[in-house]
């Protein structure tokens, strides 16, 4: 089973990586081949809204999205991992989401249809409602792309430089068992 993790945090040693590592380790124990893409290290330009990609799924922008697209196409499971900034995903992950128009054809049929997807999100606030706008955005995106949402883990109350609560690490490991 091929898995790609779209790691949207600019911090490779922050809160989000803690649950990403828990999921990755659990998936590897199940036999998954896991590839982590650090989106902050990649050159991803914004979508131009030109729809040139619809006929063949090839974007006219020559950047790292071509490789991200390849890994997404070749994966059975896609993981969207992000801290919550202003009630939505990080800008790094949002760029990938916007460029996902290339997964649709001219009749808006998805080239990713049927693949499983999970979300991993962290935020500083303790209020679980903080995740709702991002969850709504993800679910609408997944519906349009024909992806099967298998679940997610939302971790509130994250503090820079601190370990997240063990209950969320365990919840992440449990998620890995069902995907």
């Amino acid at each position: 089973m091929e898995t790609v993790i779209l790691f949207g945090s600019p911090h490779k040693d922050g809160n989000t990586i803690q649950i990403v590592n828990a999921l990755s380790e659990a998936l590897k124990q199940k036999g998954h081949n896991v590839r982590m893409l650090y989106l902050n290290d990649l050159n991803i330009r914004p979508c131009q809204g030109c729809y040139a990609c619809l006929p063949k799924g090839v974007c006219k922008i020559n950047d790292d999205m071509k490789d991200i697209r390849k890994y997404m196409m070749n994966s059975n499971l896609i993981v969207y991992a992000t801290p919550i900034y202003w009630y939505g995903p990080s800008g790094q992950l949002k760029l990938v989401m916007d460029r996902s128009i290339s997964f649709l054809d001219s009749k808006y049929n998805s080239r990713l249809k049927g693949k499983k997807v999970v979300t991993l999100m962290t935020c500083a606030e303790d209020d679980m409602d903080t995740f709702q706008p991002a969850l709504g955005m993800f679910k609408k995106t997944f519906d349009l792309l024909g992806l099967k949402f298998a679940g997610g883990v939302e971790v509130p109350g994250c503090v820079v430089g601190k370990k997240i609560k063990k209950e969320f690490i365990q919840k992440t490991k449990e998620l890995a068992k069902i995907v």
Side-chain angles (χ1 to χ4, degrees), residues 1-64:
M1 184 105 150
E2 297 293 321
T3 297
V4 65
I5 299 173
L6 304 173
F7 186 75
S9 177
H11 307 286
K12 290 182 181 177
D13 61 352
N15 295 299
T16 307
I17 196 68
Q18 294 176 55
I19 56 172
V20 166
N21 286 341
L23 183 74
S24 181
E25 290 167 17
L27 290 174
K28 286 176 183 176
Q29 288 176 356
K30 285 180 58 176
H32 286 235
N33 181 24
V34 179
R35 177 178 299 276
M36 176 95 74
L37 300 179
Y38 293 99
L39 301 180
N40 197 58
D41 291 349
L42 301 177
N43 175 30
I44 309 165
R45 294 193 44 228
C47 180
Q48 300 299 298
C50 66
Y51 300 109
C53 59
L54 294 181
K56 295 184 181 177
V58 179
C59 182
K60 71 178 189 174
I61 300 171
N62 185 19
D63 63 4
D64 291 329

Side-chain angles (χ1 to χ4, degrees), residues 25 32 38 41 72 74 83 95 108 110 133 143 145-146 159 170:
E25 290 167 17
H32 286 235
Y38 293 99
D41 291 349
M72 291 174 73
N74 292 332
L95 286 170
Y108 298 96
S110 177
D143 286 348
L145 293 174
V159 178
Q170 188 57 41

Side-chain angles (χ1 to χ4, degrees), residues 2-169:
E2 297 293 321
T3 297
V4 65
I5 299 173
L6 304 173
F7 186 75
S9 177
H11 307 286
K12 290 182 181 177
D13 61 352
N15 295 299
T16 307
I17 196 68
Q18 294 176 55
I19 56 172
V20 166
N21 286 341
L23 183 74
S24 181
E25 290 167 17
L27 290 174
K28 286 176 183 176
Q29 288 176 356
K30 285 180 58 176
H32 286 235
N33 181 24
V34 179
R35 177 178 299 276
M36 176 95 74
L37 300 179
Y38 293 99
L39 301 180
N40 197 58
D41 291 349
L42 301 177
N43 175 30
I44 309 165
R45 294 193 44 228
C47 180
Q48 300 299 298
C50 66
Y51 300 109
C53 59
L54 294 181
K56 295 184 181 177
V58 179
C59 182
K60 71 178 189 174
I61 300 171
N62 185 19
D63 63 4
D64 291 329
M65 188 63 196
K66 67 184 174 305
D67 295 322
I68 296 167
R69 185 181 189 290
K70 177 181 70 174
Y71 294 125
M72 291 174 73
M73 290 291 292
N74 292 332
S75 292
N76 309 95
L77 174 64
I78 303 167
V79 179
Y80 287 72
T82 184
I84 296 299
Y85 295 151
W86 292 101
Y87 308 100
S90 67
Q92 293 87 336
L93 185 56
K94 184 65 167 71
L95 286 170
V96 172
M97 292 173 71
D98 290 348
R99 294 282 295 282
S100 292
I101 188 76
S102 70
F103 293 115
L104 300 177
D105 67 17
S106 298
K107 295 183 181 180
Y108 298 96
N109 297 306
S110 177
R111 295 176 172 99
L112 291 177
K113 188 173 185 170
K115 294 181 184 290
K116 287 185 181 178
V117 65
V118 300
T119 57
L120 301 176
M121 294 183 275
T122 59
C123 77
E125 290 188 40
D126 288 318
D127 185 357
M128 291 299 285
D129 285 343
T130 302
F131 296 103
Q132 292 310 309
L135 279 169
M137 181 188 301
F138 281 127
K139 288 182 179 176
K140 288 282 198 184
T141 300
F142 301 157
D143 286 348
L144 180 62
L145 293 174
L147 298 169
K148 295 178 184 176
F149 182 62
V153 176
E154 297 85 43
V155 184
C158 292
V159 178
V160 175
K162 301 279 186 183
K163 290 194 181 281
I164 61 172
K165 294 178 183 173
K166 289 181 183 178
E167 69 186 86
F168 295 108
I169 297 295

